[in-house]
Amino acid sequence: MKQGKGVENPESRFSAVLLGAAKLPGVRINREAYLRSALARRCTEEQIRQAVDESPAAAGIPVEILDKVAQDSIRYETAKVSALSAAAGIPGALALAATVPADMVQYFGHMVRIAQKLAYLYSWPDLFSGEGDEVDDATMGVLTLFFGVMFGTQSANAAVGKVAGMMAEQVAKKLPQKALTHGVVYPVVKKVAGYLGVRMTTRSFAATVSKAIPLVGAAVSGGLTFATFLPMAKRLQKHLAGLPLAEPSHRSAGSEVVDGEIVEERGPFAQATAEQRGSDATPAKAEEPRT
């Protein structure tokens, strides 16, 4: 079926909505402020300082504590997105109203918020460290993969694990730009974006969410609320918590920024990449969620 003039392809459609959501007021999370607030009741001042300066893993904070903090953040964001399901009045959303339902942009905005909070708890670097409203390609790439994990796409799981493995092995303090923008992970980013974009229409987006989440059977429309957001956030939390980057033994003191790619792969990351390469041989529409 041919696309009409001016109609974006699925990958571009998804990227446009993700970018619009990332630019909404209040969507970006200040990493330092969030970690200080979230860890205040469960960690010492020294642990919090080290978590901010390096990472929660470098501070030796047990994953069990991080899981409890993550659950608090998931509950908060779930309640917030449920209460704001009517998104017509959200500043900035109207700019996309001609092509994308405002409620979808609002929903994606809260997905971006919880993705940042979970990433910072499980020792990922600042996703929006630059100045101004611009979002760099590496951040767009990793957010796309996080969304893919939320929707249950297996190649996104493998790719997120690979990116985390790069940072853990190289002891990096920023996202691996090359891998995410034109390197080994980039083809998966494009594939996941295309998969989500195909299903991100007014009529099919709700069906995609309910298909991705077990037991949600009924059609989801309007404000995609508690029944969908909560399981999706928990899916991302479980995946990030299980990566080596979140382990307390991983430290980043004295490290330098690494912007390269791992050439030689070992252990579980080599296996994940092999599975990823096999899945990349199929078209985007074949990438269905698995539960």
Side-chain angles (χ1 to χ4, degrees):
M1 183 176 178
K2 295 182 179 181
Q3 293 179 336
K5 184 178 180 180
V7 177
E8 297 173 321
N9 63 43
E11 179 189 337
S12 298
R13 184 186 305 127
F14 170 79
S15 297
V17 177
L18 177 58
L19 183 62
K23 290 184 176 183
L24 287 176
V27 163
R28 301 190 187 188
I29 303 297
N30 182 292
R31 177 181 174 274
E32 178 177 352
Y34 170 69
L35 287 176
R36 288 191 178 280
S37 174
L39 299 175
R41 294 184 298 168
R42 293 185 169 94
C43 300
T44 66
E45 182 56 37
E46 175 58 25
Q47 285 178 315
I48 295 173
R49 182 198 63 76
Q50 194 169 3
V52 169
D53 292 345
E54 300 177 47
S55 70
I61 301 174
V63 174
E64 293 77 13
I65 290 179
L66 298 178
D67 288 346
K68 292 179 181 177
V69 177
Q71 289 163 13
D72 289 343
S73 292
I74 289 172
R75 283 193 291 268
Y76 174 82
E77 292 297 332
T78 302
K80 191 171 182 181
V81 71
S82 299
L84 296 174
S85 59
I90 290 185
L94 293 179
L96 296 175
T99 55
V100 179
D103 190 50
M104 187 187 299
V105 179
Q106 180 268 136
Y107 188 82
F108 270 37
H110 282 278
M111 288 176 68
V112 173
R113 281 179 57 87
I114 193 59
Q116 290 171 87
K117 289 183 176 183
L118 296 176
Y120 301 153
L121 285 174
Y122 295 113
S123 296
W124 287 68
D126 199 336
L127 302 184
F128 293 102
S129 55
E131 297 293 331
D133 293 334
E134 295 304 313
V135 184
D136 67 35
D137 291 339
T139 295
M140 285 288 290
V142 81
L143 286 174
T144 297
L145 295 178
F146 284 170
F147 277 39
V149 172
M150 287 179 166
F151 277 90
T153 58
Q154 295 302 301
S155 60
N157 286 353
V160 168
K162 186 172 184 64
V163 173
M166 289 178 179
M167 292 188 294
E169 185 170 326
Q170 303 283 354
V171 202
K173 287 187 176 181
K174 67 177 291 186
L175 295 173
Q177 300 278 330
K178 292 180 181 178
L180 283 164
T181 57
H182 56 267
V184 292
V185 181
Y186 182 60
V188 185
V189 173
K190 291 175 66 66
K191 180 179 179 179
V192 171
Y195 162 72
L196 295 175
V198 165
R199 289 147 181 83
M200 201 183 64
T201 63
T202 305
R203 290 184 297 176
S204 68
F205 182 66
T208 301
V209 175
S210 25
K211 185 175 182 180
I213 308 301
L215 306 178
V216 173
V220 183
S221 60
L224 305 164
T225 54
F226 189 91
T228 59
F229 189 92
L230 181 64
M232 293 173 78
K234 285 186 174 181
R235 182 178 283 157
L236 179 61
Q237 184 243 329
K238 181 179 179 180
H239 188 61
L240 296 182
L243 297 174
L245 199 62
E247 296 175 1
S249 59
H250 174 63
R251 304 184 63 84
S252 59
S255 64
E256 296 181 357
V257 170
V258 175
D259 190 25
E261 300 175 14
I262 295 176
V263 176
E264 181 179 0
E265 296 168 347
R266 305 178 181 86
F269 293 106
Q271 180 180 356
T273 305
E275 295 173 354
Q276 169 189 318
R277 287 171 181 159
S279 66
D280 288 344
T282 59
K285 68 177 183 179
E287 177 67 339
E288 296 291 344
R290 289 173 53 191
T291 59

